[in-house]
Amino acid sequence: MATKAAKGFILVCLQLLLCFSQINCIRAKGEDGSDDEIKGMFVFGSSLVDNGNNNYLENSTAKADFLPYGIDFPKGPSGRFTNGKNVIDLLGEMLKLPCLIPPFSDPSTKGSKLVHGVNFASGASGILDDTGFLAGQVISLNQQIRNFETVTLPEVKKQLGVNRRENRKAMKQYMFIMGTGGNDYLFNYFARKREYNVSLETFTANLTTSLSLQLKKLYKLGARKFVLMSVYPLGCSPMLNAMRKDGCVEVMNQAAILFNDGLKSIIDAAKSDMPTSNLVLVNSYNIVTDIIQNPSSKGFKDANNPCCEVVPLTQLAGNGVSCKKGGRICMDRSAHVFFDGLHPTEKVNMEIATKAFTSNLKTEVYPINVNQLAQL
């Protein structure tokens, strides 16, 4: 029989284990006892970076809070549009953040939970306010930024004990991740092309101008370190399989290329538009295209079909994107590039995050990588 001292020791260990397992985690410290350079992340965008905000939207059809989504995620279905971790989770691990970034819409995301950042992203949303109308209720990028400005930022400053003068210094310890743009093409421009009387080039120019203004808004609020995730090759997604004849839908890929060129221009212009800021472009378009063109080189076997069962656009109530609730799923998720009709598997997310963090190729990250950004 264990002694009272032994029982007490076990109890203390269990309490410590419980404490460290909570999402509401303690602040990370460097080896020298000082705060880590990067304290957390504020995340904006759409489903590729959404950590569960749409779970709390009653009238949204863009949800991933059911199996088989999250089948490989430690907490099961969480609202992440993949089988396991998304790029945000993986970058957080590489930055040695002590916990997952909580979604803004979760009522428990308050107080000390905000110290390491908040995820504002919303699946099916876009840069434009009307993007996502096909999915019902979504949180537009403009609203995400308002949520940061009016709700989260004042509370984070309170938790950190900083005043207005110290705000910029405090915000320098956070990365601002922006992952948006693809839905503005798929579920806006191309979905209602008859309503638009502008060319793809003009639409893209307006889109990147809007995004530039939104980034400047965050800059005025104190943001200094930005990571812009490019749009990946939309035309190669399984959602468009019915439209694909030989290879990918080139007009969709051309749209992504035009937008990504605009992102690079934003970064180059930031030297004068947003002095003292540093921006990184993660070219997931090139990273994913390299995988699709030569999947076996990265250990993939299927770059064309979704891992989960998806109801195609040609069938009643099918959107070509979402996994069917309780539907069939591939056994080897690591062999697939796409998990559903649009979103990549955790393995692809790992490829993107690793390249973002370590690559020295400007065709993959520009002008520096995320790890180098963290040291600035």
Side-chain angles (χ1 to χ4, degrees):
M1 181 179 292
T3 65
K4 287 185 178 181
K7 287 181 179 179
F9 176 77
I10 293 171
L11 181 60
V12 169
C13 288
L14 288 173
Q15 288 173 334
L16 285 172
L17 181 62
L18 180 61
C19 174
F20 282 102
S21 68
Q22 299 300 307
I23 293 178
N24 183 17
C25 45
I26 62 173
R27 285 205 299 166
K29 294 285 184 179
E31 290 182 2
D32 59 354
S34 62
D35 287 344
D36 281 340
E37 180 65 25
I38 296 300
K39 191 185 300 290
M41 296 188 291
F42 295 112
V43 184
F44 306 83
S46 58
S47 54
L48 292 173
V49 293
D50 185 356
N51 278 12
N53 280 297
N54 281 16
N55 294 355
Y56 302 90
L57 301 181
E58 257 186 59
N59 300 317
S60 177
T61 61
K63 294 188 178 184
D65 56 352
F66 55 89
L67 288 172
Y69 290 112
I71 190 170
D72 300 310
F73 190 68
K75 299 177 182 293
S78 64
R80 290 163 172 80
F81 290 78
T82 186
N83 59 300
K85 297 175 182 176
N86 64 17
V87 171
I88 299 304
D89 301 319
L90 298 165
L91 282 177
E93 290 178 0
M94 293 172 187
L95 289 166
K96 298 182 179 178
L97 301 184
C99 53
L100 297 172
I101 306 300
F104 171 82
S105 298
D106 187 337
S108 69
T109 302
K110 55 188 177 181
S112 60
K113 276 193 176 184
L114 308 177
V115 171
H116 294 291
V118 174
N119 189 310
F120 300 89
S122 173
S125 72
I127 296 167
L128 304 179
D129 287 345
D130 58 348
T131 293
F133 69 99
L134 292 173
Q137 186 182 6
V138 300
I139 308 169
S140 69
L141 182 56
N142 279 324
Q143 184 59 52
Q144 292 174 34
I145 294 172
R146 284 193 289 270
N147 290 341
F148 169 74
E149 178 183 14
T150 61
V151 181
T152 301
L153 182 57
E155 183 61 25
V156 169
K157 289 162 67 174
K158 179 181 176 182
Q159 290 293 321
L160 297 177
V162 301
N163 55 36
R164 182 180 298 179
R165 188 174 298 177
E166 297 170 324
N167 179 52
R168 291 181 182 178
K169 182 179 179 182
M171 287 298 102
K172 189 180 178 183
Q173 292 182 295
Y174 291 87
M175 283 195 180
F176 287 72
I177 316 292
M178 185 68 68
T180 189
N183 292 335
D184 293 286
Y185 292 102
L186 285 174
F187 306 124
N188 195 333
Y189 182 77
F190 288 113
R192 53 204 287 190
K193 196 171 181 182
R194 292 181 182 178
E195 300 176 32
Y196 281 103
N197 294 314
V198 298
S199 66
L200 181 61
E201 289 76 12
T202 300
F203 179 83
T204 300
N206 292 336
L207 202 60
T208 52
T209 297
S210 297
L211 180 60
S212 177
L213 292 173
Q214 290 159 330
L215 292 171
K216 288 174 184 175
K217 174 68 173 178
L218 289 172
Y219 175 78
K220 288 180 180 178
L221 294 173
R224 289 298 179 267
K225 294 179 179 178
F226 295 88
V227 177
L228 310 184
M229 308 295 297
S230 85
V231 172
Y232 65 93
L234 302 172
C236 299
S237 62
M239 171 189 172
L240 301 175
N241 274 349
M243 298 171 57
R244 292 164 59 180
K245 296 177 182 178
D246 298 313
C248 304
V249 181
E250 285 309 312
V251 66
M252 297 285 190
N253 284 354
Q254 184 59 34
I257 291 171
L258 283 171
F259 179 77
N260 296 338
D261 287 345
L263 292 183
K264 186 174 181 295
S265 297
I266 288 175
I267 289 178
D268 291 336
K271 295 173 184 176
S272 57
D273 292 347
M274 298 188 290
T276 73
S277 70
N278 290 280
L279 291 80
V280 166
L281 172 62
V282 178
N283 201 328
S284 48
Y285 183 97
N286 286 350
I287 296 169
V288 174
T289 297
D290 288 345
I291 295 172
I292 291 173
Q293 291 179 345
N294 191 10
S296 61
S297 67
K298 300 292 184 181
F300 295 95
K301 297 178 182 177
D302 192 327
N304 298 310
N305 302 296
C307 169
C308 72
E309 181 181 359
V310 172
V311 181
L313 284 164
T314 52
Q315 290 186 21
L316 185 65
N319 61 18
V321 176
S322 302
C323 293
K324 181 179 179 180
K325 289 184 180 181
R328 298 185 303 274
I329 184 172
C330 65
M331 293 301 295
D332 186 3
R333 268 81 73 184
S334 66
H336 278 252
V337 173
F338 292 95
F339 185 66
D340 61 10
L342 191 59
H343 306 98
T345 56
E346 180 184 71
K347 185 174 178 181
V348 172
N349 288 331
M350 177 59 81
E351 290 286 336
I352 296 171
T354 301
K355 295 282 189 180
F357 200 75
T358 64
S359 179
N360 292 315
L361 298 177
K362 285 184 169 51
T363 54
E364 294 178 338
V365 281
Y366 174 85
I368 57 175
N369 62 43
V370 173
N371 187 33
Q372 291 167 330
L373 176 66
Q375 309 307 315
L376 297 178

